[in-house]
Structures are given as structure tokens and as C-alpha cells.
Amino acid sequence: MIERQSEVAVEGFTAAVGERFTSFDPAGGAVIGTYPVHSAAEVGAAVRRARAAQASWADAGFDERRRVLTAWRSALLRRRAELEDLVHAENGKSRADATIEVIVAVQHIDWAAKHARKVLGPRRVASGPFMVNQAAWLEYRPLGVIGILGPWDFPVFGPVGTAAYALAGGNTVVLKHSEYTPGIGEWLAESFGRVAGDDRLFQTVTGADATGEALCRSGVDKISFTGSLPTARKVLAACAETLTPVLVDAGASDALLVDADADLAAAADAAVWGAMSNAGQVCISVERAYVHERVYEAFVDKVVAIAGNLKAGAGQPIGPITMPEQVEVVRQHIADAVERGGRALVGGLDGIGERYIQPTVLVDVPEDALVVQAETFGPVLVVTEVADMDEALAKTNATGFGLGGAVFARARGMDIARRMRSGMTSVNSVVAYAGVPALPYGGVGNSGFGRIHGPDGLREWTAAKAITRQRFSSPVRTTTFTRRPLDNRLLAALARVLYGRG
């Protein structure tokens, strides 16, 4: 599923080397660690170990799982500096951004642990007038073993957003993290196993495309995938062979809309941070800004002033490009925009280096340009003038993607947000929804399907179980061949009374 790696270790990225591969610091090329390329047999063995442990983990109950997850939450905070250093080294993001990622991940572990019983536990439901003789219950049973194909852009928050919720529901987990961040995956699994006292509950396997394919075909009960749209299609094809269900987070080209009455200073600050943080390597990055014509020039001036003072480089707010081949993708998108008449007010082609890309702000870019229609995944912001928010929404909703988005407006912010075709939208902020554990996270259209986080994220890794118990025999016979004409007349009469009017 993951693009084929070179057979030789090349400085600056993770490459397969025989039966092992090497993880590099994307900022300077230093070796972070070497890891095994796990075979299909080894992946299958990990899944079998997870399955052997799953029944007892499910039987442990909500209280015990809450205790273990809470201990894991606290352990991550105690070892926060260690984890942040690893994220900085292996992913390349700044330590400040790594701090935010770890703390938000801890918050989600806490929420999943504390709410699993309320969301998933058995509860009585109304039987309805025709089944009054039946008592009815609903509960959510764990699926079993959950496979995670983890992302490198948020290497802690990404897999934890699935793993914590799956574990809280009584599942076990096998994580195949990105080959660019395997050490972070191993760290997470080790830290959980240490507090749980069982290293089978949360395991990692390492490798590239073949290892990911093996996990899809290993007999896991569901796959969680985060990555590009082309790779998502390959994952779905592999999982279709065994009818393994898949949750897909396939990226986006998220937009920020600025209405005429918006707080322009706040909107400009949010647009630049949303586009440039983590070097734009976030699936919910702001890639496009559509701005009302009455405030367009003032907004652009503010964006240029902020972005012009930002730098990418060692010790700078913007870190390196984690995946080296992404540099060429960003170069292609900027070049295509310029060829179509776009202008770089900040950065541009001259700002693209071997490991770092300087912040780039583009204007006058046509809507059919690659930088608009595809996911750029770099520190690039396209700003476009629109006549009104109806035009902004039409352009926002036209790409086929629909993950996140943002709206800056005073009077109509909520109305505009509801009309945006996306799974999530923030009003007068960016990506705030990701930090609210009770809210579901996921997209529509080409951005994927399924939800992590919140009650939906807990239910995602379970199967609804319906149970009825007869309390007394019904005087009206229904589910029997001894049913009489009188029974049908009584049922029809009751239906007319209950549903025949209006």
C-alpha cells in the first residue's frame, strides 16, 4: 500500500535495506534507528497474539480498561519530554508542535477511558406498542483485533486517536506505523504494554508497502487507514478480498472562508498557522482561503506580513519536509500555479530547498490548478477573492474532498459552516474540532468515511448487539402459525389508532 522504497538506504528518508530499514532525521539525515521489515508470516503471528489476548481484555470490563488507559495517559505525560524528542527527531516537527500533539493525544486517551461505559455499555431501549411484551437491550461488542495503518504527519495523535478508543471498547490493536516514523509506533506500544502488563494488547509491526498489505490480509477485524487517496484505494482493494471493513482518512484540500465582517487579524493569523504549521504536512491544513472582495486586499496584506516573517529551517518555526518525495509534489503544484497565471507574494519556487520549503502565499490562481484541486501537503496557501460567501462555498465544495474547514465571520459563521461540504468545520478558529474529544473526526467524499474520536469513534470499533427477552405472552398472536384472523384485525385496528392520522 505504501509507495515502493529503494533497496538502499538514502540519506534523508526511510528506505528498505534487505530485511531491515533505516529511519532518518528529515532535518539533517542522521540515523534514528533501524527496524525489521516484518513479513506476512510475522504480521500474522502478531495478529494471532493479539487475538489470543483479546477475549480476556474484553472480559476485564470497562472499569479495568479505564484503569489501564488512565495509567497510560499519565505515563505519557511523565515521559512527555522523551516522546517529544522522538517526534522532533523522527518526524521533524518543532518541539513546540510536538508538545501540542502529545497533550491532545493524552486528552483523547482520557476521554475514551472515561466515556466507554456510557457509550458502549448495555442499556434498555423502548420496545414499542406492538412489542410491549418484550424487554429490549442494546450494547456494543468489540470487533476483536483492529489493524492501524498509521500516519507520519501526526505520529502520536493519529494512531492514538484510533488505538485508545478501540482499546477502551475491548479490542486489541496491531499498528503498522508509517515507515517514516516506526520508532514512535514502537514507543507507543511499549509504553502501553508496560502499564497494562501485557505486550499483546497493543503491538507494532514495521515495514513498508508489503507489511501494510500483509496487515490488511491478516484476518484483523477492521483496518484504520490514514494517508493519501491513491493509497486508500489500494488498501480498500486489499481489504475487499476478505471483506475486512476499513475506516479511511484520505486527506483533503481544506479551505478557510473569510466573510466581509470577519476579524481580519484573527483570520489572517489562523490562515497562516493553519497552512504553515508542521510545514503544511497536516491532513487538515488550510490549503485555500476564499475571501470576500470587500476585505480581500486587507486580508492579503495581513497574511503577507505574517508569512513573510516566518522561516523554515533548523531552529525555525517551520521544520523540514518529512517525506523527501513530497518536495517535488510541492514544486510541481507551485510551478503549475505560476504557469497558469498565479503569483507568489511570499516564497515560491525559489524558496524550495532540499529539505525545507519556505512559506509560500499564492494569489490569482485559477480553480483548475493542481494546488487547488489536489492535496499539496506543504507550507503553501492560496488566497482567492470572491464576490460573496455563496461563491466561496461553491468553490470550496467543488474539489471532491471534504475533511475539515474553517469560517471567519461574525453574523453568518454558523450558517456558512453548515453549508460547507466537510466532516468538520471551525468557526472563527482553525482545527479546533480536533482538540474536542467528544466530537467525531472524519471526512466525506474523497476524504474518506468512518469516524474516530467521540461517541462515534468508540462505536466505530464495535458491533451493535440487540437483545430481546419476552416478559409475558402476548394476547395477540404474531410470530406463530397459530395466528388467527382476529389477531390480524386487532393489529390493523391498533395501527390505525396509532398511525392513521396526520
Side-chain angles (χ1 to χ4, degrees):
M1 268 71 66
I2 300 164
E3 286 70 27
R4 181 174 176 81
Q5 300 297 308
S6 167
E7 294 298 319
V8 179
V10 179
E11 186 184 71
F13 73 105
T14 307
V17 186
E19 295 183 349
R20 299 188 68 82
F21 67 101
T22 304
S23 172
F24 293 92
D25 173 3
V31 172
I32 302 300
T34 60
Y35 303 89
V37 178
H38 284 120
S39 66
E42 291 169 316
V43 172
V47 172
R48 287 192 296 274
R49 292 181 73 237
R51 194 167 300 286
Q54 190 271 323
S56 60
W57 176 243
D59 290 344
F62 292 108
D63 289 343
E64 173 62 11
R65 294 197 294 270
R66 174 175 176 168
R67 184 193 67 79
V68 173
L69 285 163
T70 301
W72 187 38
R73 171 209 68 189
S74 300
L76 261 59
L77 277 179
R78 286 194 302 271
R79 301 173 63 188
R80 180 172 62 83
E82 177 186 342
L83 181 55
E84 290 170 3
D85 286 346
L86 181 57
V87 171
H88 174 68
E90 198 168 56
N91 168 274
K93 68 175 59 179
S94 69
R95 284 185 172 83
D97 284 349
T99 298
I100 294 173
E101 179 174 357
V102 172
I103 290 174
V104 173
V106 163
Q107 183 184 14
H108 277 275
I109 296 171
D110 182 75
W111 194 93
K114 292 178 178 177
H115 290 82
R117 178 190 291 277
K118 179 180 178 180
V119 174
L120 304 177
R123 64 178 183 268
R124 286 285 296 268
V125 298
S127 300
F130 287 98
M131 303 297 287
V132 69
N133 68 316
Q134 300 286 337
W137 285 267
L138 172 64
E139 61 186 78
Y140 294 85
R141 302 297 301 164
L143 292 177
V145 181
I146 305 303
I148 302 176
L149 299 175
W152 53 261
D153 60 335
F154 274 86
V156 176
F157 176 62
V160 164
T162 293
Y165 290 77
L167 288 162
N171 301 279
T172 52
V173 169
V174 178
L175 166 65
K176 204 299 286 184
H177 216 332
S178 167
E179 66 270 37
Y180 291 94
T181 51
I184 297 168
E186 288 198 344
W187 194 100
L188 291 171
E190 179 276 333
S191 65
F192 183 83
R194 181 183 297 186
V195 300
D198 190 340
D199 63 3
R200 301 172 300 169
L201 302 176
F202 183 179
Q203 300 174 68
T204 54
V205 292
T206 51
D209 53 353
T211 306
E213 289 179 10
L215 185 59
C216 288
R217 296 186 172 99
S218 65
V220 294
D221 297 287
K222 192 166 187 175
I223 287 284
S224 173
F225 167 78
T226 303
S228 69
L229 180 58
T231 306
R233 293 189 173 108
K234 296 177 183 178
V235 170
L236 287 166
C239 290
E241 297 173 7
T242 52
L243 292 182
T244 301
V246 186
L247 177 146
V248 172
D249 176 356
S253 178
D254 286 355
L256 180 147
L257 278 58
V258 183
D259 206 354
D261 64 348
D263 180 335
L264 293 188
D269 180 73
V272 174
W273 186 86
M276 312 301 176
S277 63
N278 198 30
Q281 301 170 113
V282 184
C283 54
I284 49 176
S285 287
V286 174
E287 300 206 354
R288 302 173 285 157
Y290 294 107
V291 186
H292 196 289
E293 60 186 8
R294 281 162 43 192
V295 296
Y296 173 76
E297 290 186 5
F299 177 82
V300 169
D301 288 345
K302 293 180 184 298
V303 164
V304 168
I306 298 170
N309 286 322
L310 287 175
K311 293 291 182 284
Q316 297 296 328
I318 299 176
I321 301 300
T322 306
M323 193 167 65
E325 54 263 43
Q326 192 64 27
V327 173
E328 291 308 311
V329 173
V330 177
R331 189 192 311 274
Q332 180 186 10
H333 284 199
I334 294 176
D336 175 74
V338 172
E339 288 172 5
R340 293 170 181 267
R343 296 181 295 124
L345 301 184
V346 178
L349 290 172
D350 293 341
I352 300 176
E354 180 182 357
R355 303 180 189 276
Y356 295 91
I357 297 177
Q358 298 303 320
T360 295
V361 178
L362 299 171
V363 296
D364 301 332
V365 177
E367 288 297 295
D368 59 352
L370 287 173
V371 76
V372 173
Q373 294 297 320
E375 186 175 42
T376 301
F377 226 62
V380 180
L381 175 65
V382 178
V383 186
T384 301
E385 181 178 3
V386 293
D388 51 36
M389 291 298 100
D390 288 338
E391 181 184 353
L393 285 164
K395 290 180 174 179
T396 294
N397 296 341
T399 65
F401 288 116
L403 187 55
V407 175
F408 277 78
R410 287 190 170 93
R412 297 199 305 135
M414 291 296 290
D415 173 64
I416 297 167
R418 290 189 175 101
R419 294 168 61 195
M420 182 180 287
R421 185 176 181 267
S422 63
M424 307 162 292
T425 306
S426 291
V427 178
N428 296 329
S429 65
V430 288
V431 306
Y433 45 76
V436 180
L439 286 177
Y441 178 106
V444 297
N446 288 340
S447 289
F449 41 82
R451 294 295 184 267
I452 60 175
H453 305 167
D456 296 89
L458 283 167
R459 296 188 190 103
E460 191 75 41
W461 316 109
T462 64
K465 176 73 172 182
I467 300 174
T468 60
R469 179 179 58 81
Q470 183 167 291
R471 299 188 297 152
F472 56 86
S473 296
S474 173
V476 179
R477 304 175 190 177
T478 54
T479 57
T480 172
F481 284 114
T482 66
R483 187 171 64 246
R484 305 158 299 178
L486 174 62
D487 296 314
N488 278 19
R489 290 196 299 271
L490 290 171
L491 287 171
L494 181 58
R496 285 194 300 272
V497 171
L498 293 173
Y499 311 125
R501 298 179 181 178

